[in-house]
Amino acid sequence: MDKDKMDHLQVNDGNLQPLIVKQQPPLVRQESETDLTPKRDPLTRQGKLFAGLIDDFKIRLSQYPSDLKDGINGQVAAGAIFIYFASLSASITFGGLYGDATDKWIGVGETLLLTAVNGIIMALFASQPLLIVGATGPLMIFDLALYNFCKSNDIELLPMRFWIGFWMTVTGLIFGAFELVSVVKKFSRFTEEIFSTLVCIIFIYEAFNKLSQIFVRHPLLEYYAIPTEKNITEALSLGNNLTDIDDFTNKTLEVDVAKEIPQPNTSLISLIIMIGTFLIATKLKEFRNSRYFGRLLRRMLGDFGVPLSIVLMVGLDVLLSETYTDKLTMPDGLSPSNPNVRGWLVNPFGSGGFPIWCIFAAAPASLLLFVLVFLEENICHLILGKPERKMKKGTGFHSDLFLSCFINLISGIFGAPFMTPAVVRTVSHTSALTVVASPGPGLPPKTVGVLEQRLSALLVAIMVGLSVLMAPVLNLVPKPVLFGIFLYMGVSSTAGIQFLERIFIMLMPVKYHPDVPYVTEMRTLKMHLYTVIQLILLIVLWVVKQSPAALCFPFILLMLIPIRMYIMPRIFDLDELDALDGSGAHVSAVAAKEEQGDNLDFYEEAHDFPTHVDDEAKEIRRKSIISMAENFKAVP
């Protein structure tokens, strides 16, 4: 590169976001005749047993030395620190909610430790090592439905989860053997948007539902009972074995009694903490793309918005220590959340009363969990595989699906939450490792490539694992902080969901409709019809999720794929479907942000992935048009 061009390149001092460099660094692989990138389409079946799995491992194994060498970079270290806080915040939030919902059979300790163990497995063996694994909303929905099912049928929870993990691994191996992951081509925004909207609604609903329970336990009263020996005795007579709880939480008896006797101001302070956590995280996220201060400071505050909101609200709770708030309870040291009822390793056959039929009943249940993991894991791959990212080392649809199933067997062995590559955390991780270069003064930076390596994910997993030793600090976190993070995840995840945008468009006069393909390239009535169909299916999913058959909601979700493939094309033509959930939908998302002089954020990009569901029909139409043109030319 000559000197004149070098002078036009600018360097971005930020570490957490795409780095603007003076020239393309040697760590970003260049295409050449000797490039090891697979020339095959990973979603095209070869028709040979285990061919996809073998190719994925073989291709990535040859690149393993560079995966380690390319990780020795300052941007990789900075990105790892960023994702550590994102992963830690999510693990604490999901772990705390698991503890509440499962009577501490699963809690923060299990979530942190297995996020680390599974993260190390993925970092070392995944064909796409930029995947960040952890507990997610959809898997938590399944886990809690399973808990309620086991509780109502008097079945031991942890052995049932072990066998679900076992059968799920078998399913993953079968999919790898016959290259069945190619069905991912049938994914489209139609299915993903309904699924994502359901998850957002559940996050928001659960946040306020948990807060309402605090108001029930600690209502606003004119007078409050002062803890005395008399009402301590009354609390103990409620039937709760508070002394056992006290043994492993290291809490005083008075604090345990406070959970039973209404406390003054507890509800109001909990409301303030939850809303405060949500507002701080949300405003810092918005500040990230504002015009205030320098780019580096804005990006840092935006990227660390969630950890900062947690720290600030914990500080507020400490200042208001005279008011009781319910907090996380983790035992000191490396112990399960409730060592009185469980150990670290799960006995697959239970404590003696686990029915044999449950071992085989876990097989169909594992298919329901597999559907959720299959969706999330492959959405991650589709997003990372977009051409504009300019990644050179390929993907691993087949091998990484098997690994995503295998880590849930590990979770089953240790009685931890089921896990999968998390879309937002994976996209954030990749964005932090993206290298961009500015071609000249005043010109927007262009993506050069991504630092594709294993060390950042490995460092994140190790640091999350070491956080298990932070029990005394984590026990200071009030549960309303977790509700605030849950609310933040629900609201933030609505960004970029075109389905929700179209719902609001239904309420607007036509003259205010945005100038995007799904509005301009089809009749308004047809657009509204498409939206109403999605809304009806969303309501069906919500009803199933709230019913005793909640365990089956992944099956209902799976049915959305054939509805999109076989029913929607009978109502809408190919051009309309393309504008609604094909390439036209991608153009709409990108164009809307470019008008604002911005890029898609992590949450918006999580809904922006390439789809191929109509490729076959488009190819048939293309050949038909070519044939008609040739026939027309042949007519004298």
Side-chain angles (χ1 to χ4, degrees):
M1 183 178 294
D2 58 44
K3 187 177 183 303
D4 290 338
K5 290 184 179 178
M6 288 282 291
D7 290 338
H8 287 162
L9 299 177
Q10 302 173 346
V11 179
N12 178 7
D13 294 328
N15 288 324
L16 302 181
Q17 290 303 308
L19 183 66
I20 301 177
V21 298
K22 290 188 176 180
Q23 57 184 343
Q24 189 162 310
L27 291 181
V28 179
R29 291 165 53 84
Q30 304 294 313
E31 289 191 50
S32 67
E33 293 181 1
T34 60
D35 198 344
L36 297 174
T37 303
K39 303 303 180 185
R40 64 184 177 97
D41 178 1
L43 296 179
T44 298
R45 296 180 64 188
Q46 302 179 51
K48 299 178 182 177
L49 203 62
F50 292 106
L53 268 174
I54 294 171
D55 282 352
D56 283 349
F57 282 122
K58 188 185 298 182
I59 291 168
R60 201 68 193 205
L61 183 62
S62 63
Q63 299 169 339
Y64 211 94
S66 72
D67 285 345
L68 300 178
K69 182 181 66 176
D70 293 355
I72 305 173
N73 181 281
Q75 187 176 352
V76 170
I81 294 171
F82 164 46
I83 298 302
Y84 160 67
F85 283 106
S87 189
L88 178 65
S89 302
S91 297
I92 293 172
T93 302
F94 282 109
L97 293 171
Y98 265 102
D100 268 359
T102 64
D103 296 327
K104 291 190 171 60
W105 282 99
I106 303 170
V108 177
E110 292 85 356
T111 306
L112 287 172
L113 185 63
L114 267 295
T115 298
V117 172
N118 292 335
I120 290 172
I121 292 173
M122 294 296 287
L124 292 178
F125 301 109
S127 295
Q128 178 49 270
L130 298 185
L131 300 175
I132 300 295
V133 300
T136 67
L139 299 194
M140 187 181 76
I141 296 169
F142 174 85
D143 244 336
L144 299 189
L146 178 65
Y147 170 76
N148 292 328
F149 172 81
C150 290
K151 186 175 181 180
S152 60
N153 290 278
D154 199 23
I155 298 172
E156 291 185 68
L157 172 68
L158 299 185
M160 188 69 172
R161 295 177 78 259
F162 168 86
W163 289 108
I164 287 175
F166 170 81
W167 289 115
M168 184 181 173
T169 305
V170 173
T171 303
L173 190 62
I174 293 172
F175 263 64
F178 295 99
E179 301 177 288
L180 299 179
V181 75
S182 60
V183 76
V184 75
K185 289 184 175 182
K186 306 305 179 184
F187 282 5
S188 73
R189 281 176 174 260
F190 177 83
T191 302
E192 192 274 339
E193 287 181 342
I194 296 173
F195 178 48
S196 297
T197 304
L198 175 69
V199 173
C200 293
I201 292 172
I202 290 170
F203 279 177
I204 296 169
Y205 170 80
E206 288 297 332
F208 285 104
N209 183 45
K210 294 291 184 183
L211 181 66
S212 68
Q213 292 175 16
I214 293 178
F215 272 83
V216 170
R217 293 197 303 270
H218 303 282
L220 302 178
L221 304 173
E222 186 175 358
Y223 300 102
Y224 290 88
I226 299 174
T228 62
E229 183 177 351
K230 178 182 177 182
N231 49 34
I232 286 176
T233 304
E234 290 175 353
L236 290 172
S237 68
L238 294 176
N240 296 306
N241 193 354
L242 298 176
T243 54
D244 287 346
I245 296 174
D246 182 59
D247 289 340
F248 78 90
T249 60
N250 294 324
K251 300 292 183 182
T252 62
L253 183 58
E254 286 77 8
V255 171
D256 286 322
V257 170
K259 298 178 182 180
E260 306 298 337
I261 299 176
Q263 298 297 304
N265 299 322
T266 292
S267 295
L268 293 178
I269 292 299
S270 296
L271 173 63
I272 291 170
I273 290 175
M274 185 184 98
I275 299 300
T277 304
F278 166 72
L279 288 178
I280 291 172
T282 301
K283 292 304 178 182
L284 287 176
K285 174 176 174 285
E286 294 173 357
F287 184 75
R288 183 177 180 272
N289 294 319
S290 70
R291 297 293 180 264
Y292 297 102
F293 302 112
R295 175 187 172 90
L296 174 60
L297 180 59
R298 293 199 314 268
R299 298 290 178 174
M300 286 186 65
L301 289 174
D303 292 337
F304 290 97
V306 172
L308 282 173
S309 66
I310 293 175
V311 170
L312 290 174
M313 287 299 103
V314 169
L316 176 64
D317 182 71
V318 171
L319 291 176
L320 301 174
S321 57
E322 292 184 0
T323 301
Y324 168 77
T325 52
D326 198 10
K327 296 179 176 63
L328 287 177
T329 52
M330 285 182 63
D332 290 333
L334 206 61
S335 301
S337 294
N338 192 345
N340 287 340
V341 297
R342 57 157 295 178
W344 272 116
L345 295 178
V346 172
N347 182 353
F349 302 101
S351 57
F354 188 70
I356 297 297
W357 65 265
C358 286
I359 296 175
F360 302 99
S366 72
L367 293 177
L368 302 175
L369 178 63
F370 177 80
V371 169
L372 300 178
V373 172
F374 185 86
L375 280 170
E376 292 212 62
E377 193 268 343
N378 283 295
I379 286 173
C380 287
H381 271 291
L382 289 170
I383 292 174
L384 297 192
K386 290 193 293 187
E388 54 263 37
R389 288 198 175 275
K390 298 184 179 179
M391 297 178 71
K392 307 299 181 184
K393 294 186 178 181
T395 57
F397 283 92
H398 307 276
S399 58
D400 289 351
L401 177 61
F402 170 71
L403 273 181
S404 297
C405 295
F406 176 74
I407 63 174
N408 284 302
L409 174 59
I410 304 298
S411 291
I413 291 172
F414 287 93
F418 290 125
M419 298 183 184
T420 184
V423 178
V424 173
R425 275 163 267 172
T426 296
V427 171
S428 304
H429 183 216
T430 307
S431 296
L433 299 173
T434 298
V435 180
V436 298
S438 178
L443 297 176
K446 301 293 183 182
T447 298
V448 172
V450 177
L451 297 172
E452 301 175 63
Q453 39 68 49
R454 298 182 180 274
L455 295 189
S456 57
L458 186 62
L459 286 172
V460 169
I462 292 172
M463 289 190 290
V464 170
L466 293 176
S467 301
V468 175
L469 304 178
M470 294 168 52
V473 176
L474 296 178
N475 285 338
L476 296 175
V477 178
K479 289 182 180 178
V481 168
L482 309 184
F483 309 155
I485 298 300
F486 227 52
L487 179 61
Y488 167 78
M489 289 192 293
V491 174
S492 297
S493 296
T494 61
I497 300 181
Q498 188 201 94
F499 166 48
L500 295 177
E501 295 171 4
R502 283 187 274 106
I503 289 178
F504 286 109
I505 288 175
M506 292 176 70
L507 307 176
M508 297 180 186
V510 175
K511 64 181 180 179
Y512 295 121
H513 287 186
D515 185 17
V516 290
Y518 63 81
V519 172
T520 60
E521 296 183 10
M522 62 190 305
R523 288 181 298 159
T524 302
L525 185 61
K526 292 291 288 288
M527 178 184 68
H528 290 339
L529 175 61
Y530 188 91
T531 305
V532 169
I533 292 172
Q534 284 186 299
L535 186 59
I536 292 171
L537 293 172
L538 173 64
I539 293 172
V540 171
L541 274 173
W542 175 260
V543 170
V544 171
K545 186 266 172 189
Q546 293 295 100
S547 73
L551 203 58
C552 297
F553 98 92
F555 175 76
I556 307 299
L557 179 66
L558 188 64
M559 291 298 100
L560 299 181
I561 295 177
I563 289 174
R564 168 60 180 85
M565 288 175 59
Y566 302 113
I567 297 178
M568 301 304 281
R570 296 178 180 274
I571 305 173
F572 304 90
D573 62 38
L574 282 176
D575 291 330
E576 291 171 336
L577 291 174
D578 185 63
L580 287 161
D581 72 348
S583 58
H586 168 71
V587 170
S588 300
V590 175
K593 296 303 287 187
E594 285 181 348
E595 276 187 19
Q596 304 169 15
D598 227 331
N599 297 319
L600 297 176
D601 70 14
F602 307 139
Y603 289 93
E604 291 168 324
E605 197 166 357
H607 309 298
D608 183 52
F609 61 93
T611 60
H612 307 277
V613 64
D614 295 317
D615 283 359
E616 187 176 340
K618 289 178 184 177
E619 181 63 18
I620 293 173
R621 185 175 66 173
R622 187 185 68 84
K623 291 180 178 179
S624 175
I625 292 173
I626 292 174
S627 177
M628 288 174 63
E630 290 176 348
N631 292 337
F632 181 77
K633 289 179 181 179
V635 175

